[in-house]
Amino acid sequence: MLSTATSETSDTNPNILNEEWLKQNLFNNSTDIALIQATPTPNPQTSISQTPLPCHGPHIVATIDRTAININQTVTLVGQIYPPELNVTIRICYVRPNYSWIDQYVLTDPQTGEFNATQALDMAGYWNIFPIHGHIADRHHVIVTDPLADPEELLDFENPWRMSIPLVLTAAAIIGIGIIVAITGLKKKTRKISSLRIGIQILLVFLLFLGMFVDHQNLPRPVRQIAVHDFLIGTDVLGVSVPEGFPAPFFACYYPCGRTVTCALWELQVYIYPFLDVGHGWGVDYNTTGVVRLAIVVGAIILSALLLGKVWCGWVCPFGLYLDALTYLRKRLRIKRIDLSERFNRYFHQLSYVILAVMLVLCVLFASYSITGTQLISGTEQGGFIYTYFSAPFCTVCPMKPLCLLMQNQAGILQTQWIFNGTGEYYQLGMYLTSVNLIILAIVTIAGFFIRRLWCRICPLGGLLALFNRFPPFKWVSAVRLEKTEGKCTKCGVCKRVCPTQVTEVYEQKEGDVMTSKCIGCLRCVEMCPYEDALKFKFVGKTLCRSRNWLDNGKPRANDSGKDREL
């Protein structure tokens, strides 16, 4: 099964890995299995491109016999490609801690697609091992120890990578625009809160995808067990390994590169299925059970919900910013918005709980073998149809996923073939994106252009936050409240008209905490209410903002003409 030919990088400069070779071979769509001849690595100052190192695809089934050995000992990799094909050779790349590498080429079994390979590892430190087939790859790691080495001796490591200057400049320009918008809006009483909110949303988009601009390979240390271009935080929570990063209570898509945190919905799904057990995941290794990891995710969701509730949706979520941009464009084009009827809107909001329930039920059914030892649905075995293409059911329809992937593809970070080279299953456009994703994004974009914050009304993550914030007993201890004073309200109806999700409870309820499960906490009602202290937004009992009388003798001020009172 194992070919006898191997190739190894030149020792001319073992601390520098040729980035151009890596882009063309380790992360490309070529099926050429000719041996790469050993050649000296060019001078990094003349050969290194400004293009960021692309991510690798996560889908190929492989296991490694051990992840900790002594230097010069061997490891064995056993795997399988899907579907099996005749005369297919895969490449296995063993990347040393200093970014030099060893190649092996392995012939797969034409009937089963199985392969295996054994390799001695000759350098102490953290090795990344990639079995690669076409444009898809898996990732494994091995920690190699040298018992005779000085434990305080540092690895000689020279980093050749550079960040993308055009990408950084673009980010700086957009952040600058956001700051200008925020400062300009602060001059208008009816835009102060909205301008601040939009400025914060723009800034947080770049913080959420910090790894795009501050690649972890720019840090003065060898490669670690994190995906390329990710700069994850919170990978160890209370001693529990969460390799994908801290579960975020808003859309922070797992699939594109650069994220600092990961969408809690994605972790909630895959920790039930397919990674309920200890073992190898998509490029990571889980050393705790899915139940323990799920406890961390659910705990983080509850804590986040109690802390800010759906304010995460109104002030942080990147997809909310996208929907706000659509509304802003519509108003600039002077196109009239469409409002849903109050009755329909009330039932429409309930879809968030339906989507959430369907997602969790599907995940539990898929994980039936891990939970009960009985497979209830075929194709859920490792390498099966559902395992390969439907492991995270909500992500198959999520409108945020294609938006992130397409934007990063345009930025030159995510390779086109991973998105658009079809696999022939489940209407796949690539290893990351399905045509269903694109259809949902198109529908949400068109509808969201006319209907304010349409997706936020049925978002299952927003519904999950509402469960742990707006319903007893969680509501009683929630840190955020929107309080209304009955004696100062004249029932003018401004709060109802300006609400982007058409919440009516603020208008209908007489007094007390009027924040409901449908409210996204954007505080547009507080901003537009023309009566002093009629509405107050409180955090842990402290008033952060309140409604103000922005009228002069019943007429708007000159700089508060109210042109943009919808957002």
Side-chain angles (χ1 to χ4, degrees), residues 211-489:
M212 288 177 59
F213 316 103
V214 184
D215 187 351
H216 78 276
Q217 294 181 62
N218 284 287
L219 300 178
R221 60 186 173 94
V223 67
R224 290 290 186 261
Q225 190 184 353
I226 55 179
V228 178
H229 279 285
D230 283 352
F231 199 62
L232 297 170
I233 59 175
T235 55
D236 186 279
V237 182
L238 301 177
V240 176
S241 175
V242 186
E244 289 83 18
F246 192 80
F250 47 84
F251 279 0
C253 187
Y254 162 82
Y255 294 92
C257 316
R259 70 196 190 283
T260 54
V261 292
T262 296
C263 176
L265 275 188
W266 184 87
E267 293 182 328
L268 194 63
Q269 292 174 92
V270 300
Y271 289 169
I272 298 175
Y273 173 83
F275 306 129
L276 185 63
D277 299 322
V278 176
H280 185 68
W282 293 332
V284 298
D285 290 285
Y286 297 111
N287 54 21
T288 55
T289 65
V291 173
V292 176
R293 282 179 270 118
L294 282 170
I296 292 295
V297 174
V298 173
I301 293 173
I302 293 175
L303 181 62
S304 301
L306 291 177
L307 190 64
L308 289 175
K310 291 180 70 173
V311 173
W312 294 105
C313 307
W315 287 72
V316 180
C317 183
F319 198 69
L321 177 62
Y322 174 70
L323 296 175
D324 284 345
L326 293 176
T327 297
Y328 179 83
L329 176 62
R330 173 185 57 76
K331 291 194 297 182
R332 288 305 174 202
L333 294 176
R334 299 185 181 278
I335 298 175
K336 190 176 181 180
R337 74 175 188 238
I338 297 175
D339 285 331
L340 305 178
S341 70
E342 290 188 15
R343 178 182 175 85
F344 180 83
N345 189 58
R346 189 180 307 112
Y347 289 111
F348 190 62
H349 274 275
Q350 304 307 311
L351 276 178
S352 62
Y353 304 109
V354 175
I355 296 172
L356 179 64
V358 170
M359 179 196 80
L360 293 177
V361 169
L362 284 175
C363 288
V364 171
L365 290 176
F366 294 163
S368 59
Y369 185 80
S370 297
I371 297 173
T372 66
T374 302
Q375 186 183 37
L376 297 179
I377 299 178
S378 62
T380 56
E381 70 280 359
Q382 189 179 50
F385 171 77
I386 291 177
Y387 179 92
T388 305
Y389 298 113
F390 204 60
S391 295
F394 173 73
C395 297
T396 307
V397 300
C398 177
M400 176 69 170
K401 179 181 175 183
L403 186 65
C404 287
L405 294 175
L406 293 174
M407 291 181 65
Q408 294 208 355
N409 173 252
Q410 291 300 306
I413 295 175
L414 199 65
Q415 289 200 6
T416 302
Q417 58 263 35
W418 297 345
I419 300 178
F420 295 109
N421 281 18
T423 63
E425 297 286 354
Y426 201 61
Y427 307 103
Q428 288 281 313
L429 298 180
M431 289 308 302
Y432 291 98
L433 195 59
T434 70
S435 58
V436 177
N437 279 129
L438 289 176
I439 292 171
I440 296 296
L441 175 61
I443 294 173
V444 171
T445 298
I446 295 172
F449 180 80
F450 295 98
I451 305 173
R452 299 169 296 172
R453 286 277 187 152
L454 175 78
W455 176 260
C456 299
R457 309 185 195 201
I458 62 172
C459 177
L461 186 50
L464 189 60
L465 289 172
L467 284 175
F468 297 114
N469 181 266
R470 290 294 94 196
F471 297 97
F474 303 103
K475 183 177 182 177
W476 303 332
V477 292
S478 172
V480 290
R481 295 178 182 275
L482 180 60
E483 292 191 355
K484 177 180 177 181
T485 302
E486 182 182 11
K488 298 181 179 182
C489 175

Side-chain angles (χ1 to χ4, degrees), residues 172-197:
I174 296 176
I175 291 175
I177 292 172
I179 293 174
I180 292 173
V181 169
I183 293 176
T184 303
L186 290 176
K187 297 179 180 179
K188 301 179 180 181
K189 283 194 172 182
T190 60
R191 294 296 303 172
K192 283 186 176 182
I193 295 177
S194 292
S195 298
L196 179 63
R197 175 170 56 84

